[in-house]
Structures are given as structure tokens and as C-alpha cells.
Amino acid sequence: MNAPVFEPKALWGYFSALNRIPRPTHHEEAIRQYLLDEAKRLKLVTVEDEAHNIKIIKPATSGYEHVAGVILQSHVDMVPQKTSDKVHDFTKDPIETHVEGEWLTADRTTLGADNGIGVAAILAILADDSLQHGPIEALLTATEEVGMHGAKGLQPNWLDGKYLLNLDTEVEAELCIGCAGGVDILANLPVSYRPLDPSLPQYTLDLTGLAGGHSGKCINEQRGNAIKIIARLAAAINQRQPIQLVRLVGGSLRNAIASQASMQFACALSLDDIKALLLPVFEQIKAECSTHDQSAHFTLAASETPSEQCLSEACQAQLLQLVTASPHGVMRMSLA
Ligand SMILES: [Zn+2]
């Protein structure tokens, strides 16, 4: 795209300019320089912090100095992805774009609309002298896509505005009021084993078919967590007849809701008895789960590779209690 063909022209003009500047994460010097130069051209004050975030200050227009300040935020880096047949060096080559109907797309690479369109919108506002507004701070954050280093490096009191509009969303015509935080917990539980009675039958319980999904984006949908569900199934069997847990695994990614889990255990009950015992419990769990999870199911089979040892009694109890007590899903909704 050489000349903007869409409206508003200022925004698309900036987006076009941004696409000529390679800006994959960790290669952001050129885009930062462009932003500083553009602010200078617009006669606006800029500040860059140690995390390479850039702040551009657009003072209030006359008569609006008392209005609460607004911070407009976007990140300057983009995700560099391409198809295998496309020759493209994201650190050197401009993004090649073309118009398809009413859409602007890239030629077999990511377009950089995340978050280039936000940066372009901010620049268009900064460049527009016809607007009447209170104090505006443009906050252009660095290195978002890998580790959010810019946002994490923001220093307290660096910004004066009262309201922050983050212009990095994925759904058109939707405004999200609120925020979500994330915490990673790495827990280590020392494991001890004991010999397993070889006369006891061993089973493998596989739980699959849950929807899973992104642990941030989908967390409000109360989707079931396979690890917690399998621990609940284990507890249900254990209540009837003690089990000896050999193995419990589940989940795949740190930021994905676990959609499958599996456990191996020994138990004096027959396979049919365990199934009959689990079915109503599982139906109850599914009824509690979101509509997305209704194809969840479990299979129970005799273990193909019986183990000679299982977790010690104390260790097994601790593990199941730990999983049961670990929070999952929305703890509390804002009533504001
Ligand atoms: Zn983004």
C-alpha cells in the first residue's frame, strides 16, 4: 500500500508508513526513531525511559487544561510470522500489503496491525490540530509480544493522565473496560514412593474433550480444568475404595486451560465398578462446566504398563489436596 485508500486518511497514511519500517520484537530501534522524529516534526515533547517506552505529550487545547488527562497506549513491535514459501526478512524488509475488497492484507506475512493500527491511530490524533482535547500522553511501549518488557519496565508516576486507553484489541467495535492480571506459580512437591501391591489391578483414566482455551481470554467462560476434574474423579473413587496413585499428568501449556489429563492408579474395585461409580460424578461435573465443555468424556482401561510403585500415602493425599485447593477460573467479578 503506497497511498492510503481508506478513511480516515491520516490514520491509514501512518499505518502505511509504519509498514515500511521493519519492527519485529527486539528490533525496534528504527520504529522508535521514526516516532521520535515524527513527534519532533509535530513539535511535541518526547521522553524515552530505560525500558525504551516512548511518551509523546500533546498539551491540552486552550480551555481544556482542567480536563482529566488521557493516555493512549499501543506497542511498537509486531509478531513476525510468514508462510514457508515467502522470502521475507522481518528485520530488513517492509511489509508488502495489498487491498482485497474492503480489507488490507499482507502478502504471506503478518500485517503488523497488531499493534501498528493502534500506533497509527495515536499518531493521527497527535497530528490533528482540529481536535479539542484535554492533556494527551501517547504511551508507545516496547517489546510487548515477547515478555511485555516495555510495560513491565514502566516506572511509577511516569504518566500523568487519569484514564488509559489501550488500543490493542482483537475485536472490532468493542470496548473492554477492565483488566486482567496473571500470576505464574511454580510449585514443587517432593515426591516419595512406596511399593505397590502387585495383586491389585491397575487402571489408566484418560480425560479428554474439554474445550481448553487461552487461560486469559477464555477464563470468564468457566471452562473446566482437566487437571482439577481428574483430581475430583480420583477423590470420588478414593472415597469408596482407597486408590494408589502411580501417575497424574495434565495440561500442555502454561497459558492454556488444561483440556486433557490422565492418571494411572491401582484399586481393588473392578473396572465396571469404577466406571459405574464415576459416571454420575462426571455428569455432575459436566453440568457445572461451561457449554463449551459438553463433549468432555473419560475412558477407563486396564493399564498396559503396570507400575511396581506408587506415591506414598502422605504424598498422594498432599498432591490431590494441592490440586483440589488450587484456584481455577474467575475468583470474583467486579460489580462496578
Ligand atoms: Zn498486541
Side-chain angles (χ1 to χ4, degrees):
M1 182 171 94
N2 295 319
V5 292
F6 299 121
E7 296 288 342
K9 283 204 165 47
L11 179 149
W12 289 103
Y14 276 122
F15 188 65
S16 172
L18 293 175
N19 279 340
R20 289 193 288 273
I21 305 166
R23 53 185 204 287
T25 308
H26 296 309
H27 297 268
E28 301 158 40
E29 302 77 15
I31 182 68
R32 281 204 303 276
Q33 195 54 53
Y34 169 79
L35 293 167
L36 294 171
D37 290 347
E38 187 58 17
K40 197 171 174 188
R41 194 183 70 78
L42 297 170
K43 300 189 171 53
L44 299 174
V45 172
T46 57
V47 192
E48 184 173 338
D49 70 8
E50 283 181 10
H52 295 302
N53 298 308
I54 290 176
K55 176 170 68 170
I56 306 175
I57 298 163
K58 184 170 164 93
T61 44
S62 171
Y64 287 82
E65 295 86 351
H66 63 287
V67 170
V70 171
I71 301 156
L72 302 172
Q73 189 232 324
S74 285
H75 62 86
V76 303
D77 57 322
M78 66 173 273
V79 178
Q81 290 287 307
K82 64 179 191 69
T83 59
S84 54
D85 64 331
K86 171 77 178 177
V87 180
H88 187 92
D89 183 345
F90 278 98
T91 65
K92 293 195 183 91
D93 301 334
I95 302 292
E96 291 170 35
T97 61
H98 57 267
V99 177
E100 274 180 29
E102 56 181 8
W103 292 92
L104 182 75
T105 60
D107 178 22
R108 291 167 290 160
T109 68
T110 36
L111 176 62
D114 175 7
N115 192 199
I117 202 68
V119 176
I122 291 172
L123 290 173
I125 289 169
L126 294 179
D128 191 337
D129 282 335
S130 71
L131 301 173
Q132 292 194 311
H133 55 83
I136 292 176
E137 288 162 285
L139 172 61
L140 301 152
T141 49
T143 323
E144 193 263 3
E145 298 289 1
V146 183
M148 291 209 188
H149 292 299
K152 283 180 182 164
L154 262 187
Q155 294 304 304
N157 303 320
W158 199 57
L159 299 158
D160 294 320
K162 183 172 182 194
Y163 301 107
L164 186 145
L165 294 180
N166 170 270
L167 305 185
D168 186 17
T169 185
E170 291 172 22
V171 187
E172 204 177 16
E174 243 182 43
L175 183 67
C176 173
I177 300 174
C179 66
V183 178
D184 289 349
I185 296 173
L186 290 175
N188 288 302
L189 184 67
V191 174
S192 55
Y193 292 92
R194 62 178 162 144
L196 187 50
D197 179 352
S199 69
L200 278 178
Q202 285 186 33
Y203 303 103
T204 299
L205 177 68
D206 285 311
L207 173 60
T208 53
L210 285 144
H214 192 276
S215 65
K217 278 184 211 157
C218 305
I219 206 66
N220 59 323
E221 294 172 0
Q222 302 293 19
R223 298 185 179 195
N225 181 318
I227 302 170
K228 286 184 69 73
I229 292 174
I230 210 162
R232 213 165 134 187
L233 297 177
I237 309 167
N238 205 32
Q239 222 173 20
R240 174 83 62 86
Q241 180 74 36
I243 63 167
Q244 278 91 57
L245 193 59
V246 172
R247 188 175 59 88
L248 191 153
V249 289
S252 54
L253 284 171
R254 184 185 58 82
N255 59 354
I257 298 170
S259 64
Q260 45 80 26
S262 167
M263 72 169 177
Q264 185 177 345
F265 62 99
C267 180
L269 293 176
S270 74
L271 190 135
D272 286 343
D273 282 349
I274 298 175
K275 264 190 189 166
L277 155 73
L278 287 182
L279 274 173
V281 179
F282 193 63
E283 284 313 308
Q284 169 64 35
I285 291 170
K286 267 174 81 171
E288 295 166 16
C289 281
S290 109
T291 49
H292 301 276
D293 289 318
Q294 294 311 306
S295 38
H297 57 274
F298 72 85
T299 55
L300 182 72
S303 288
E304 285 171 8
T305 49
S307 171
E308 289 173 4
Q309 57 175 16
C310 62
L311 296 185
S312 72
E313 215 168 319
C315 189
Q316 172 181 319
Q318 230 177 0
L319 175 68
L320 293 178
Q321 285 162 11
L322 176 71
V323 174
T324 306
S326 295
H328 167 73
V330 175
M331 296 297 105
R332 190 161 59 94
M333 299 290 275
S334 164
L335 301 174

